[in-house]
Amino acid sequence: MVRTIFLITAIAAFSFINAQKTTFKCKEVYDAVKLIDEEKYDEAIVILKECEIKDPEDYTYPYEIALAYIKKTDYKNAILLLEKIKGYSNINDYYYALLGNAYDLSGNPEQAIKSYDEGLKKFPASGRLYLEKGVVLESQGKIKAAVETYEKGIRAEPMYPSNYYRISQLYLNSKDILYGLMYGEIFLNLERTTSRSKEMSKLLYNSYKSAVKFTNQDTTIDLCQAVLIIEKNSKPGNLPFCIVFSRHFAVATAGEKEINLETLSSIRKRLLKEYFNNNYSPSNVLLSYHKTMENNDLFNAYNHYIFQMGDQEAFNKWQTNNKPEYDKFINWYTEEANLLKINKSKLYLSDQIK
C-alpha cells in the first residue's frame, strides 16, 4: 500500500517540534519527542499529557500525542484527539496532514481527502497537503488525479521537493518519461544527498538509458508520446516542450553508440546549445539553470554529479581523473547564491498533450 510505504519513510517529518524553533513552556516535551523516536510511545504520551496540563493553550502537545498514537497504529485515538483540538488557534498545515493520514491509515481515504481539502482552504500554499492528498489518490489508483494534485502542490509551493519526487516517479513509469526526467532532476536540486536523492539519481540515469536505443542502422528516442496539431500561422516557438526537447535530443545523439555518463553529458550539452540557439519561449527554469552552469564551464561536472548513482564506478573514476573540474563545480554548486531558485512566476509544469 502506497500510504504504508510513505509513512515508514516520512512520518518522522511530522514531528511539529522538530520543525519549529519555538521555546516551549513545558521543557519535558523534548524528552517526549526523544522517547517517540525510540519507539517508547506510552512513556512519551504520559509526559506529553503532563505538558498539556502545564500549558493547555498550546496544541503541540496533543498533536505529538496523536503522532505517537499513529506510530503505535492506534488510529482511532489519534483521530479522536486530533478532532478534539481542531479549534486551537495555532494549528497549521501539519495538523491537517496528520489528521488526514490518520483517517487514511484507519481505512477511510475519502475522509482523509476531506481533511486535506479543509486544510488547503486555510493553508492554500501548503505543498505538504497537496502531497498527502496525492498519495491517497495514488493508493486509490487515481493516477491522473494524483498527477494533477502534485502539480497543484508544485504551483502552490514551488520549493517543496516531495511533490516533484512523487510526480517524477509516476511519469517515469508511464510512456511520457520526459516529464519524469524534468521533475526528478528538479527534485535532485532541491533535496540533495539524501536516500531519496540517491534513488532518484539512479532512476533518472536508467530512464535515459531505456529511452534511447542504438542499433547499427538508427537510434530510437522514446521520451514522450504526443499528437501534434499544427495550426495556421503557428510558430516553431509554440511547439510543445515534449516535441522540442525530443527533437533536439535526437539530433544531439548523432555519433553516439551508447548512453553512459560521458555520452549523456555530451548529449545534454549539445541539446542545451541548440535549445537556446532557437530562443524557445517560455523559458524552462531547469534548462536556464543548466545554461548558467554551461556558461561557467560547470555543466559537464554537474552531469556526472547528478547521474552518479547510475554508474558509481564510472563516476568515481571520472572524479579521480578530473578533480580540479569537479572541485570547481562543487564550490560553485554549494554556494547559497547558486542554488536552484523556483518561484510561482518561474517554475516547471508539464504540458501534456491531450
Side-chain angles (χ1 to χ4, degrees), residues 156-253:
E157 191 176 354
M159 291 294 288
Y160 183 69
S162 291
N163 283 305
Y164 295 98
Y165 175 77
R166 300 294 298 194
I167 196 172
S168 173
Q169 292 181 320
L170 291 180
Y171 273 124
L172 289 174
N173 283 306
S174 75
K175 294 180 180 180
D176 294 299
I177 72 168
L178 172 60
Y179 306 120
L181 293 170
M182 297 298 295
Y183 283 129
E185 190 171 340
I186 290 172
F187 165 76
L188 283 176
N189 281 283
L190 297 180
E191 181 179 304
R192 304 175 181 180
T193 64
T194 67
S195 59
R196 294 199 306 177
S197 64
K198 292 178 181 178
E199 170 201 349
M200 184 60 70
S201 171
K202 183 176 182 178
L203 184 58
L204 294 183
Y205 179 77
N206 288 337
S207 295
Y208 272 112
K209 285 182 70 72
S210 65
V212 185
K213 302 297 182 185
F214 296 95
T215 68
N216 292 331
Q217 288 75 36
D218 55 30
T219 301
T220 303
I221 312 295
D222 188 12
L223 290 172
C224 60
Q225 293 192 341
V227 175
L228 182 62
I229 299 175
I230 301 185
E231 300 177 353
K232 281 188 176 182
N233 302 318
S234 63
K235 298 178 181 180
N238 295 330
L239 291 175
F241 179 72
C242 166
I243 301 296
V244 171
F245 188 96
S246 296
R247 183 176 67 186
H248 287 311
F249 192 94
V251 173
T253 62

